[in-house]
Amino acid sequence: MGVEIERKFLVDGDAWRTLGEATLLRQGYLSADPARTVRVRIDGERAFLTIKGKSVGASRGEWEYPIPVAEAAELLDGLCQQPLVEKVRRRIAAGPHTWEVDEFLGANAGLVVAEIELASEDEAFDKPDWIGREVTGEARYFNSNLIRHPYSQWKDLA
């Protein structure tokens, strides 16, 4: 079993906007059940089917498989729950780690989060100045929840 250990933070300011290359991501969910999500994602010119287990702390089981982009597009438009999650991702190297900064679009516009994958839950890492409050484990920030409860509908934005 693959295990993903990931921490998620809100992003402050705009300094991150000049870093890393921007890529458009479109993703949808065949299952958004918190115990088992099944996601289809188009990431630039690549596509993936990803299965994730229930989060326990910052960890959860994860299995990811490349799939043809044309098939991913069919799944996104035909079988995935709507609306899709669309975002612009910047991958920003910081020492031995890479931060993935996601600026959400559409009904989730205005939400910007940064994620970092770690080798263990207690692994030390440096936080750039633009990293804000940690939201790891806060379910409303899960991409799978943003399809049902988009950021634009939150009463207390961030």
Side-chain angles (χ1 to χ4, degrees), residues 119-152:
S120 67
E121 287 206 25
D122 60 353
E123 180 181 355
F125 59 94
D126 293 326
K127 292 181 193 173
D129 293 342
W130 39 265
I131 293 296
R133 180 172 71 84
E134 184 165 7
V135 295
T136 302
E138 291 188 37
R140 70 181 184 166
Y141 291 98
F142 296 174
N143 284 252
S144 57
N145 285 335
L146 292 173
I147 58 176
R148 290 184 303 265
H149 305 289
Y151 182 71
S152 62

Side-chain angles (χ1 to χ4, degrees), residues 92-99 116-119 123-126:
I92 302 170
H97 298 101
T98 299
W99 287 91
I116 187 169
E117 288 200 26
L118 303 169
E123 180 181 355
F125 59 94
D126 293 326

